Amino acid sequence: MTPPSARPEWQALQQHAATIQATHLRDLFASDATRGERLTAEAAGLYLDYSKQRVTDETLGKLVALAEAVGLREQIAAMFTGATLNNTEQRAVLHVALRAPRGAVIEVDGQNVVPEVYAVLDRMAQFVDQVRSGVWRGYTGKPIRNIVNIGIGGSDLGPAMAYDALRQYSARELTLRFISNVDATDFAEAVRDLEANETLFIVASKTFTTLETMANAQTARQWLLDRLGDKEAVARHFVAVSTNAKEVAAFGIDPANMFGFWDWVGGRYSMTSAIGLSTMLALGSGSYHAMLGGFRAMDDHFRSAPFAQNLPVLMGLLAVWYTSFMGAETQAVLPYDQYLRRFPAYLQQLTMESNGKRVRRDGAAVDYETGAIYWGEPGTNGQHSFYQLIHQGTKLIPCDFIGFCHSLNPVGQHHDLLMANMFAQAEALAFGKSAEAVAASGTPAWLVPHRTFPGNRPSSTILAERLTPASLGALIALYEHSVFTQSAVWGINAFDQWGVELGKVLAAQILPELSSNSEPTLNHDSSTNSLIRRYRAAQG
Ligand code: F6P
């Protein structure tokens, strides 16, 4: 496999980066009056303005040439047709099949998976209707009022984020809670005001072996039994979402109450699989399918649009540009919508578990930077905490601003205030305020450096009409495919996560050392040994 960095297209970008490092966004805008209209693209209800990115037409041409050279087009086609792209786990990567149209044909090992997808979606819809209409009742005959999703990582972050994002579309009479952390505080606080006989637990785990989820599920079962006093109650209050029917049955959940998915769905790409059951319970199946429609619209666009107008490709190539050529280490994601407050957390798993890799698919070490650190907070809160560093610090931090033309809570002037801030921040970052302009406004000379904004700080703005199930779906798919684009250029496998394994193994080793009655022989390093001894001593 040719390393991307050995390609002439890569080297051309390296040379070109020196030119761009010396070019200010002020000059790029001054020399092209139409830049703000030209460097934009639109699809699936999302408008992307990337004119405030530190790129020229030449940069974009060179990035697209690199994408072509590494075979991005072929890799996209391979993903959509069920190729074994996850080479280290020998799996297809087919989250796009989860939102394909009902009649589509997508084959894995010669078998069309779309009918299976719809069989599960239809079962989910049936179950959701029963719960929401009160046909499905708890053990004591009461309707379900509380839904508690127990899962972690991809079995938590997507559903938790989507519930927050789409609260306006949810059945407000239902209470939804999400338990992920093995810290019992998460469980205790989530259930403390819930009545067991009105509560449905969804145990969501692809593998059904994840330590945190299994511990929380056992605790939930005990909590229920302590209150309802009969094992028979479990069947009315627990359902499972998993690929592992055997473990689900071993836990004691009736396989009839299990919603399945498949090993070709990666955990962090699973929110449109049955992992979305809590989302469907909150929204109802109509709005859930509208969300799938938004994902699908972006999938179709990604698959077919020319690279120069392809939103996920453009965003992915910009991410490669900053990470591998311009020296940026992080990417801020700044949603100007309170409903998207969990979106950055969701993106952290999607992006960093996918592209936090140091070897390529063939095992060779990369000689370039990969996967940026993604982080962020909803605007305007971030403005009053960390934006200072983005404006005047020494680091280059590309930002994604995300906003909507209409608020779902149109109260007074709030939305104009919110959006004025979003537009202003992107403008201030790009253009700054020169020392001359600061001095000219009467600032004493000694204060001028402190009040100068260098500008030239890049951002994209993603603007949609309104936050809806469909626009949320399109937004998530946009980032999913941007991640794919980055991985394709870097030549890495975005679909495995071996880096989470070592900690799990060591935790399993340490657990008995913490709880054993006799003093254990510790064979860790001196730091870990003494931390364990101190912890044990504190337990008495
Ligand atoms: O953290 C590793 C990981 O495997 C994630 O990739 C996954 O989303 C999460 O754990 C939860 O896994 P599961 O759904 O199998 O419980």
Side-chain angles (χ1 to χ4, degrees), residues 409-474:
N409 293 295
V411 177
Q413 225 198 339
H414 278 266
H415 198 59
D416 287 350
L417 283 168
L418 177 71
M419 295 304 282
N421 271 280
M422 184 178 98
F423 297 139
Q425 289 298 327
E427 185 178 0
L429 285 168
F431 301 101
K433 189 167 182 186
S434 67
E436 296 73 42
V438 174
S441 63
T443 303
W446 67 268
L447 198 52
V448 168
H450 300 277
R451 301 200 61 167
T452 298
F453 288 74
N456 212 18
R457 316 230 153 182
S459 69
S460 284
T461 298
I462 299 166
L463 194 60
E465 198 60 26
R466 200 180 295 277
L467 178 57
T468 62
S471 62
L472 180 73

Side-chain angles (χ1 to χ4, degrees), residues 152-155 205-207 210 213 267-268 349 353 497 500 504:
I152 198 164
S155 300
S205 174
K206 180 177 169 183
T207 54
T210 303
T213 301
R268 54 195 172 274
Q349 187 199 14
E353 206 173 65
Q497 57 284 320
V500 304
K504 290 184 192 173

Side-chain angles (χ1 to χ4, degrees), residues 110-452:
Q111 200 178 334
N112 183 12
V113 298
V114 179
E116 294 177 57
V117 166
Y118 276 89
V120 175
L121 278 170
D122 293 344
R123 271 189 66 222
M124 286 165 66
Q126 214 178 7
F127 175 71
V128 162
D129 286 347
Q130 286 180 353
V131 172
R132 287 168 58 111
S133 66
V135 169
W136 179 285
R137 288 183 181 249
Y139 177 68
T140 63
K142 286 202 145 199
I144 298 299
R145 299 246 172 273
N146 316 311
I147 315 284
V148 181
N149 189 82
I150 299 178
I152 198 164
S155 300
D156 165 71
L157 287 162
M161 176 273 290
Y163 174 60
D164 259 358
L166 300 176
R167 245 165 221 260
Q168 270 276 6
Y169 303 86
S170 71
R172 297 289 192 166
E173 64 278 12
L174 289 175
T175 297
L176 270 91
R177 300 269 162 83
F178 295 85
I179 299 174
S180 52
N181 199 333
V182 76
D183 182 343
T185 299
D186 207 9
F187 180 84
E189 288 294 336
V191 300
R192 66 188 300 276
D193 57 346
L194 304 185
E195 295 292 341
N197 57 2
E198 299 179 334
T199 301
L200 177 76
F201 290 97
I202 303 172
V203 185
S205 174
K206 180 177 169 183
T207 54
F208 229 74
T209 55
T210 303
L211 174 124
E212 293 88 339
T213 301
M214 291 306 108
N216 279 321
Q218 296 289 0
T219 301
R221 186 165 61 177
Q222 196 53 52
W223 178 86
L224 188 92
L225 292 179
D226 290 348
R227 283 156 185 79
L228 300 185
D230 185 349
K231 279 199 175 118
E232 297 296 308
V234 172
R236 306 304 301 167
H237 293 272
F238 276 82
V239 296
V241 177
S242 188
T243 58
N244 192 342
K246 210 170 127 227
E247 289 294 333
V248 170
F251 179 86
I253 295 178
D254 184 346
N257 295 340
M258 168 179 154
F259 299 86
F261 62 113
W262 307 273
D263 71 358
W264 41 263
V265 183
R268 54 195 172 274
Y269 297 88
S270 67
M271 64 174 285
T272 52
S273 72
I275 289 292
L277 184 62
S278 62
T279 316
M280 199 195 268
L281 278 160
L283 300 182
S285 61
S287 293
Y288 188 82
H289 276 276
M291 183 185 80
L292 296 187
F295 274 92
R296 181 160 59 242
M298 187 57 76
D299 294 345
D300 291 346
H301 168 77
F302 180 53
R303 192 178 188 179
S304 59
F307 287 169
Q309 279 109 53
N310 192 311
L311 271 70
V313 170
L314 287 166
M315 280 186 48
L317 291 177
L318 286 167
V320 169
W321 171 239
Y322 287 112
T323 301
S324 301
F325 298 98
M326 294 287 282
E329 296 200 318
T330 82
Q331 166 74 48
V333 180
L334 308 164
Y336 276 64
D337 191 301
Q338 187 63 16
Y339 285 124
L340 291 182
R341 66 187 155 186
R342 296 283 288 155
F343 192 62
Y346 165 77
L347 279 187
Q348 288 186 319
Q349 187 199 14
L350 178 68
T351 58
M352 298 201 271
E353 206 173 65
S354 294
N355 285 339
K357 309 287 164 63
R358 50 175 275 288
V359 295
R360 290 194 304 270
R361 301 177 149 278
D362 59 6
V366 299
D367 57 359
Y368 41 86
E369 291 291 324
T370 63
I373 299 158
Y374 279 69
W375 59 285
E377 277 287 317
T380 55
N381 299 13
Q383 291 173 209
H384 297 272
S385 82
F386 54 78
Y387 278 39
Q388 164 67 38
L389 183 146
I390 309 180
H391 281 288
Q392 286 190 318
T394 55
K395 308 214 179 322
L396 171 65
I397 302 177
C399 300
D400 287 349
F401 290 96
I402 302 169
F404 299 90
C405 296
H406 302 285
S407 171
L408 297 180
N409 293 295
V411 177
Q413 225 198 339
H414 278 266
H415 198 59
D416 287 350
L417 283 168
L418 177 71
M419 295 304 282
N421 271 280
M422 184 178 98
F423 297 139
Q425 289 298 327
E427 185 178 0
L429 285 168
F431 301 101
K433 189 167 182 186
S434 67
E436 296 73 42
V438 174
S441 63
T443 303
W446 67 268
L447 198 52
V448 168
H450 300 277
R451 301 200 61 167
T452 298

Side-chain angles (χ1 to χ4, degrees), residues 26-97:
R26 280 180 205 137
D27 301 321
L28 294 179
F29 273 86
S31 63
D32 175 5
T34 62
R35 184 178 167 93
E37 290 113 59
R38 265 189 340 99
L39 298 194
T40 64
E42 196 162 2
L46 305 184
Y47 176 79
L48 171 70
D49 174 352
Y50 58 97
S51 61
K52 296 192 188 81
Q53 297 288 5
R54 292 176 61 182
V55 292
T56 60
D57 291 333
E58 190 186 348
T59 322
L60 291 163
K62 287 183 179 338
L63 286 166
V64 167
L66 177 62
E68 302 283 6
V70 299
L72 174 61
R73 177 72 60 205
E74 295 73 21
Q75 293 194 55
I76 294 172
M79 175 169 73
F80 277 84
T81 50
T84 311
L85 283 189
N86 179 354
N87 63 318
T88 61
E89 296 179 309
Q90 281 298 296
R91 288 175 185 166
V93 173
L94 262 184
H95 42 282
V96 291

